[in-house]
Amino acid sequence: MKAQTKPRIVFSVLEETAAAHPTVVALQQPVGGGPKGKHEPRSLTWAEYCDQVRQIAVGIRELGIAKGEIVALQSETRIEFYLADLGLMAAGAIAAALYTSLPFADQVRTLKASDAKYVFVENVKAMRGLEAAGAEACWILLSGESDGLVTLEQIRQMGEQRLAADPDAYEKIRAEISPSDLAVLYMTSGATGEPKMGLVTQRALVANMDHAPFVLPLTPEDVTIAFLPSAHIAQRVVVELVPIRQGSCVYFSEGLSKLPNEIRNVRPTFFLAPPRVWERVYANITAEIKKRPAAIRKLFYLGLGVGSEASRLRQAGKPIPVTMRLSLKFFDRVVFKKIRDRLGGRLRIAASGAAPLGKDLAEFYAAIGMPLVEGYGLTEGGVTALNPLDRPKAGSIGKLLPQVEARLEDDGELLLRGDTIFSGYYKDPEATAAVLRDGWLATGDIAEQDAEGYWYITGRKKELIVSSNGKKIYPARIEVLFKREPAINQVLLIGDRLPYVTALFTVNDSTDETRTSVEQAVKDVNRQLASFEQIRKFKILEKEFTIENGEVTPTMKIRRSRVLENYRSLVSEMYMGKDID
């Protein structure tokens, strides 16, 4: 009689890796109490990770959480989040992570909209903040203890005891779960309106995990650092789920302030970060170079020129001349290696995600021998494109992943179809119907493809600026040109139904020298634009756009409507009087 194959769900992938690499370290998290105040990492092997997730899944059912029930997770990215997240999926529940960087009132609004009765919360302090903002829930503490509250560890122990009494307890739960069951409720960050909630099945998550070996060749010898918010799809798929598929170790950061030192100590071989991180690394490097003697500056820029030319030849698939290879070897030893050492010195795969990366910035990293691999993903579609590691193209999102199809609408909007696409928005059939069209997902992004199959995102459909004379301008394409200017922090273009384009800038340091740098950057960018796209006036703001003021999303995307509302008087000034040359 033929053995029955178990349906492949997310937990199945964890089981497979645990069976293949039981004693290899899967997760590491610093904890206090080490000698001389040092933080010794708490480690879990793949076998331990799998066992604890199984125990938590059984404990979750013992607690009374039903299959298909939405359960919220309010926590920074940490080992306990991974255990609870995987435990919920393994139990057949739906895991809904909140953006912890949002004010508690916003988190509570999202929490209520999700209908979650149970909430895994990071600690007592966070729970009190949510309660003060009006939240009511059955709280489960991920860390710490409080009288009358259940903890994640207690849930694990409940499951462990149940499994001791009934070794088949989890298999009975698994028998109820199918790949078509919902597993995650993603909260979109709401860059162009109120956040929505996207539902994703076990099958879609597993499909994204199974794409990884074809485009992201990680192994059990690889290690990465997790620091992005777990509510975001880039973190959830690429740094939580993909390592499970390939057995790679995840080290949990203690926070952005400690990240540079952690990178030097952990020495990751794979690292995913948003453009803001890569921009700041670049800004720090160029700021230091400016302070060095003229001879050092000349050596740096000479090497950068050689590296850039070599990178262009590689992208074109052309051989690098012998003399250039010798020069590159010299500059790599005396200049570029020192820069790469700041990032641990052994990065095999440096990836940029969550927002568009400036082409100039990508070219800089390619020139120093550490090309950034940019990809493309969205809450509703999963991760769907990535640059080939052996030949990334600066400015592109790469090529489609296996089993993903794409086509363009007449207006240039990118439509996707494949096994990673979401199932729809929670309790919003109208919004679902607007983006899911005969099996195709309308992304809202304007795209184009080159002759070699590389894709490029040129703008957002909803952020299209149509000037008063009818000219169409895609602000994202222009804003990204400012990414390489160290003085500029954030930029927002304005001009919809107006006679010309203006801009608001936030800067890293407000000085006369900074003003001059911004003016020069505007002139440099304008030279690359058509006359109707050029920035005619701009204002430098005294402070940056913040989450607290509602001006940026938790993933640092600018909310245009809120910024325009907050700075209405400044914007009005730019459309009065004589134009600036």
Side-chain angles (χ1 to χ4, degrees):
M1 188 173 177
K2 190 175 180 179
Q4 190 173 5
T5 304
K6 295 176 183 176
R8 198 156 179 266
I9 58 176
V10 172
F11 182 71
S12 307
V13 185
L14 178 57
E15 276 187 320
E16 292 163 9
T17 300
H21 311 287
T23 60
V24 174
V25 173
L27 307 175
Q28 282 195 310
Q29 179 165 284
V31 292
K36 298 181 180 179
K38 289 184 178 179
H39 284 201
E40 300 296 333
R42 169 193 175 191
S43 297
L44 287 180
T45 65
W46 284 106
E48 291 168 337
Y49 188 8
C50 184
D51 287 345
Q52 290 199 23
V53 167
R54 183 186 293 107
Q55 291 162 358
I56 289 168
V58 174
I60 281 169
R61 286 295 190 90
E62 290 289 293
L63 193 65
I65 296 174
K67 175 181 179 287
E69 186 167 354
I70 295 171
V71 179
L73 289 151
Q74 195 277 0
S75 173
E76 299 291 335
T77 297
R78 54 187 296 148
I79 202 167
E80 292 84 1
F81 180 98
Y82 277 34
L83 291 169
D85 196 32
L86 269 292
L88 286 167
M89 292 187 218
I94 302 169
L98 301 174
Y99 280 103
T100 56
S101 56
L102 286 173
F104 283 124
D106 289 349
Q107 292 184 49
V108 171
R109 191 158 49 248
T110 306
L111 187 60
K112 289 179 177 178
S114 74
D115 296 324
K117 297 175 184 176
Y118 290 87
V119 180
F120 283 86
V121 66
E122 183 163 358
N123 50 40
V124 173
K125 182 180 178 181
M127 182 191 72
R128 300 292 181 224
L130 290 167
E131 286 183 327
E136 296 179 2
C138 297
W139 303 105
I140 302 166
L141 291 176
L142 290 176
S143 62
E145 295 181 356
S146 182
D147 289 344
L149 291 182
V150 177
T151 67
L152 177 67
E153 175 57 20
Q154 288 171 343
I155 288 176
R156 188 199 65 75
Q157 290 173 2
M158 288 165 58
E160 185 179 32
Q161 291 168 6
R162 179 74 183 122
L163 284 163
D166 179 6
D168 293 329
Y170 178 69
E171 292 308 317
K172 293 172 184 174
I173 294 170
R174 189 210 296 264
E176 303 172 11
I177 305 170
S178 73
S180 60
D181 287 337
L182 297 170
V184 166
L185 180 69
Y186 282 118
M187 317 294 189
T188 64
S189 57
T192 55
E194 282 302 306
K196 298 183 181 70
M197 294 178 284
L199 291 160
V200 181
T201 64
Q202 297 264 357
R203 179 183 288 112
L205 294 176
V206 171
N208 240 173
M209 296 165 83
D210 283 344
H211 287 165
F214 297 97
V215 294
L216 206 62
L218 300 176
T219 71
E221 283 72 48
D222 284 302
V223 60
T224 190
I225 299 179
F227 73 99
L228 294 169
S230 281
H232 194 277
I233 188 170
Q235 160 64 31
R236 203 76 158 276
V237 171
V238 182
V239 190
E240 181 180 346
L241 297 180
V242 165
I244 293 174
R245 176 64 174 79
Q246 295 166 285
S248 305
C249 179
V250 176
Y251 182 96
F252 295 91
S253 171
E254 292 188 271
L256 281 176
S257 63
K258 296 185 179 181
L259 186 60
N261 194 48
E262 290 169 336
I263 290 173
R264 283 191 289 270
N265 292 333
V266 176
R267 302 180 67 226
T269 58
F270 164 59
F271 186 60
L272 170 69
R276 287 288 295 277
V277 170
W278 300 115
E279 289 161 15
R280 286 176 178 174
V281 171
Y282 169 78
N284 290 339
I285 291 166
T286 53
E288 284 186 27
I289 291 297
K290 287 179 181 178
K291 298 175 185 176
R292 297 296 179 93
I296 299 294
R297 294 200 303 272
K298 184 177 180 180
L299 186 69
F300 174 79
Y301 289 112
L302 188 62
L304 205 57
V306 174
S308 295
E309 183 57 31
S311 175
R312 279 192 286 272
L313 289 171
R314 287 192 199 98
Q315 285 194 29
K318 296 178 180 178
I320 299 172
V322 175
T323 53
M324 187 180 290
R325 287 205 302 269
L326 292 173
S327 295
L328 203 58
K329 191 173 182 180
F330 167 76
F331 287 118
D332 192 73
R333 186 176 71 253
V334 301
V335 180
F336 302 150
K337 184 179 181 298
K338 293 176 182 177
I339 297 174
R340 296 197 303 270
D341 284 346
R342 291 183 174 203
L343 297 166
R346 60 172 191 164
L347 264 180
R348 289 196 306 110
I349 305 170
S352 180
L357 178 72
K359 185 177 180 181
D360 285 352
L361 199 68
E363 288 173 348
F364 166 79
Y365 282 100
I368 66 168
M370 197 181 76
L372 295 183
V373 180
E374 191 171 7
Y376 176 79
L378 66 167
T379 303
E380 296 86 351
V383 178
T384 57
L386 190 71
N387 263 279
L389 300 185
D390 58 345
R391 198 181 159 209
K393 279 193 180 184
S396 93
I397 58 168
K399 297 185 176 184
L400 297 175
L401 301 190
Q403 311 304 318
V404 177
E405 299 175 74
R407 65 179 177 85
L408 295 176
E409 291 281 62
D410 291 341
D411 62 359
E413 183 180 10
L414 176 66
L415 269 60
L416 297 171
R417 183 167 66 182
D419 48 12
T420 65
I421 303 300
F422 86 143
S423 299
Y425 295 116
Y426 181 59
K427 287 188 172 180
D428 199 341
E430 289 184 8
T432 300
V435 297
L436 289 180
R437 308 169 189 169
D438 298 322
W440 290 88
L441 171 69
T443 66
D445 285 317
I446 305 299
E448 57 188 36
Q449 185 184 28
D450 69 14
E452 295 184 290
Y454 287 76
W455 286 87
Y456 299 80
I457 302 298
T458 57
R460 284 287 295 168
K461 192 173 178 179
K462 287 185 179 179
E463 294 175 356
L464 174 68
I465 289 175
V466 181
S467 63
S468 57
N469 62 4
K471 296 289 187 180
K472 293 182 179 180
I473 301 158
Y474 291 102
R477 186 181 69 82
I478 299 171
E479 288 165 358
V480 81
L481 297 175
F482 289 97
K483 295 286 187 180
R484 195 169 175 176
E485 174 51 57
I488 295 173
N489 185 7
Q490 297 157 310
V491 57
L492 178 77
L493 259 61
I494 304 156
D496 196 38
R497 298 185 300 277
L498 293 165
Y500 51 84
V501 177
T502 63
L504 295 176
F505 292 102
T506 71
V507 294
N508 294 313
D509 293 298
S510 186
T511 64
D512 291 338
E513 184 180 341
T514 299
R515 171 86 192 182
T516 302
S517 296
V518 174
E519 288 175 349
Q520 187 59 51
V522 170
K523 289 178 182 177
D524 291 343
V525 168
N526 277 347
R527 279 195 288 268
Q528 303 173 58
L529 303 175
S531 59
F532 66 87
E533 297 175 306
Q534 291 174 357
I535 297 166
R536 304 284 289 279
K537 294 182 180 181
F538 67 86
K539 295 282 186 182
I540 297 176
L541 305 180
E542 294 180 356
K543 58 183 180 179
E544 69 177 21
F545 305 135
T546 65
I547 293 173
E548 290 72 23
N549 291 335
E551 296 159 345
V552 294
T553 71
T555 55
M556 302 312 292
K557 296 184 181 75
I558 296 176
R559 286 192 170 114
R560 293 176 181 272
S561 58
R562 181 60 66 86
V563 172
L564 292 176
E565 181 183 326
N566 291 354
Y567 293 97
R568 187 176 299 279
S569 61
L570 276 181
V571 173
S572 295
E573 287 179 21
M574 293 191 288
Y575 289 95
M576 294 169 65
K578 187 179 178 181
D579 297 345
I580 295 175
D581 291 333

